[in-house]
Amino acid sequence: MTEVSVTKDATPTAEDLVVLKNVNKHFGALHVLQDIDLTIARGEVVVVIGPSGSGKSTLCRAINRLESIESGSITIDGKPLPEEGKALARLRADVGMVFQSFNLFAHKTVLENVMLGQLKVRKADKKDAEEKARGLLDRVGVAAQADKYPAQLSGGQQQRVAIARALAMGPKVMLFDEPTSALDPEMINEVLEVMQQLARDGMTMVVVTHEMGFARSAANRVVFMADGRIVEEAVPDQFFSNPRSDRAKDFLSKILHH
Amino acid sequence: MFDFLEGYNLWEAFWTTVQLTVLSAIGSLIWGTVLAAMRVGPVPLMRGFGTAYVNIVRNIPLTVIILFTSLGLNQTFGATLGSDQIDTTNFRLAVLGLIAYTSAFVCEALRSGINTVPVGQAEAARALGLNFTQVLTLVVLPQAFRSVVGPLANVLIALTKNTTVAAAIGVAEAALLMKEMIENEAQLVLISAVFAFGFVCLTLPTGLILGWVSKKVAVKR
């Protein structure tokens, strides 16, 4: 683990890529995000963990506005998150998203899935888009499946294609919303390896996961959420060996000793 | 046995039926898709318009709509739809009426298809930076269409038979010829049988072909 500063300075610097300030959201009576303050620096890998219903997925989805927020602000690379329309679409193009259920376009081949955003959003040349798509599929190890449809692939392969699809946009930051939770156990590692590689390559990542091994080995910082609040933030070693809050101690005791 | 058919041009009458069907099918597919897009879109005014249109139009008898195109649009408001010949005008008015009516059903069939597309598909498309129109036309509608080929075949078969209502405003299609023959000839049962057979010849292949297409294009998940 390299040296990491877990500072929470009030003024955002040029190195701060994603800044959430005082973010609040309700689902009906449930206060799912409560006064969330979170800053993610360029190149940083932040793993968000916590019990079900703690708001961690909502937090992840709010960063590219798949969930709207009621108050507070979210800025990405210095720009506030737009409400609607073209500006929002442009911003989303710079934020890669990987979903729990893969969400590959079912009527398009693997190659077409990875090319679609390049062609329709980035207006790339078809040949360049295909070249880039094949390169990325090769990088995530599914180049041989390029002409198949998503339903013909295993879950692990589908999720790696989904990562390639997000990378094809050249995102500034990648959001992972429980990327391995829908996978068979033997397929989890092939996806985590791709993510580890991305992290080593310096990609800025926000990862919501239950994979504590990944958090330990790849994260620069662990954010622990419970009941809509960020309860604790720390470097992985410190968090796992010496959690400060009772809530985190309780959570870790339940998942680590079995 | 079939001497009574002499002197009548069945082919021409059924050809008019086919033309009414094909033109109305294309028109209602386009307008129905636009209506469906309005009903699932983010603009409240358009959603309201789509909902109101469908609920009003599908609850009015087709005969009333077709008669309105002639008595209302043509005779009261003077719409001729770009033709100075009354036959052509009536044909076009009938197509207009059939499109207006059928598109309400196309819209609802398509909307049920849109509901079969998992929310995640649209979310993934939005996350890539596609705008609303792109999400709809590139990701959601192609999948929605594939899942409603069967229901759309029903709509198309109903449309083929509904073209007979155009006889009410004097369009020379199959049903008008049948009425004429029933008035002039004695073989009432045979005449009905001939026309029934004619319509089955049009609609049965439609159903079979689209049934095959439906299986062929189904999206595997």
Side-chain angles (χ1 to χ4, degrees), chain B residues 34-35 37-52 132:
Chain B
V34 174
L35 284 171
M38 284 183 184
R39 290 203 70 175
V40 300
V43 185
L45 193 69
M46 285 184 168
R47 273 210 305 270
F49 172 81
T51 309
F132 174 76

Side-chain angles (χ1 to χ4, degrees), chain A residues 108-167:
Chain A
K108 291 187 176 292
T109 64
V110 163
L111 187 68
E112 287 167 344
N113 263 277
V114 185
M115 287 170 65
L116 186 73
Q118 299 185 68
L119 295 176
K120 301 294 176 182
V121 178
R122 298 287 188 223
K123 310 288 180 199
D125 179 64
K126 197 169 175 203
K127 226 179 96 195
D128 297 343
E130 181 172 340
E131 200 177 349
K132 187 171 185 185
R134 287 195 188 278
L136 284 166
L137 288 172
D138 191 40
R139 185 167 153 197
V140 299
V142 286
Q145 323 290 335
D147 297 318
K148 289 189 182 167
Y149 285 87
Q152 297 170 285
L153 271 57
S154 73
Q157 290 172 326
Q158 287 191 51
Q159 193 61 298
R160 286 184 281 152
V161 173
I163 293 172
R165 177 176 67 179
L167 288 175

Side-chain angles (χ1 to χ4, degrees), chain A residues 61 64 66 89 92-93 95 97 99 103-108 120-121 151 165 169, chain B residues 120-121 123-131 134 138-139 142-143 146 219-221:
Chain A
R61 290 162 57 84
N64 70 352
L66 286 177
R92 278 178 176 152
V95 179
M97 178 100 191
F99 299 86
N103 296 347
L104 292 178
F105 305 131
H107 64 305
K108 291 187 176 292
K120 301 294 176 182
V121 178
R165 177 176 67 179
M169 305 300 290
Chain B
Q121 295 282 308
E123 282 188 347
R126 279 154 64 203
L128 281 183
L130 298 171
N131 61 37
Q134 288 174 320
L138 297 172
V139 175
Q143 295 185 49
R146 284 155 197 252
V219 181
K220 290 172 190 68
R221 298 193 192 283

Side-chain angles (χ1 to χ4, degrees), chain A residues 10-207:
Chain A
T11 49
T13 68
E15 283 308 298
D16 294 338
L17 192 53
V18 180
V19 182
L20 290 87
K21 264 193 197 153
N22 211 12
V23 171
N24 279 283
K25 180 180 178 69
H26 290 80
F27 282 133
L30 184 68
H31 200 169
V32 69
L33 294 179
Q34 303 185 30
D35 303 321
I36 299 289
D37 287 302
L38 182 65
T39 301
I40 296 143
R42 214 174 290 273
E44 194 182 15
V45 177
V46 173
V47 168
V48 184
I49 61 175
S52 303
S54 58
K56 53 196 194 306
S57 274
T58 309
L59 174 75
C60 186
R61 290 162 57 84
I63 294 176
N64 70 352
R65 215 173 192 287
L66 286 177
E67 299 288 352
S68 59
I69 57 171
E70 282 146 20
S71 65
S73 74
I74 300 176
T75 56
I76 293 175
D77 210 3
K79 284 185 247 74
L81 205 55
E83 290 272 304
E84 283 298 334
K86 274 187 184 154
L88 178 60
R90 212 173 299 132
L91 183 130
R92 278 178 176 152
D94 289 337
V95 179
M97 178 100 191
V98 175
F99 299 86
Q100 181 176 350
S101 49
F102 329 134
N103 296 347
L104 292 178
F105 305 131
H107 64 305
K108 291 187 176 292
T109 64
V110 163
L111 187 68
E112 287 167 344
N113 263 277
V114 185
M115 287 170 65
L116 186 73
Q118 299 185 68
L119 295 176
K120 301 294 176 182
V121 178
R122 298 287 188 223
K123 310 288 180 199
D125 179 64
K126 197 169 175 203
K127 226 179 96 195
D128 297 343
E130 181 172 340
E131 200 177 349
K132 187 171 185 185
R134 287 195 188 278
L136 284 166
L137 288 172
D138 191 40
R139 185 167 153 197
V140 299
V142 286
Q145 323 290 335
D147 297 318
K148 289 189 182 167
Y149 285 87
Q152 297 170 285
L153 271 57
S154 73
Q157 290 172 326
Q158 287 191 51
Q159 193 61 298
R160 286 184 281 152
V161 173
I163 293 172
R165 177 176 67 179
L167 288 175
M169 305 300 290
K172 291 172 181 166
V173 53
M174 290 277 285
L175 310 175
F176 294 83
D177 184 8
E178 301 202 23
T180 56
S181 297
L183 294 175
D184 289 343
E186 75 262 36
M187 289 168 186
I188 291 176
N189 273 337
E190 65 190 50
V191 172
L192 290 180
E193 270 163 29
V194 170
M195 291 167 62
Q196 300 262 20
Q197 186 59 48
L198 264 182
R200 279 196 292 274
D201 292 348
M203 174 62 75
T204 310
M205 293 161 66
V206 179
V207 184

Side-chain angles (χ1 to χ4, degrees), chain B residues 137-148:
Chain B
T137 56
L138 297 172
V139 175
V140 177
L141 281 179
Q143 295 185 49
F145 268 112
R146 284 155 197 252
S147 67
V148 294

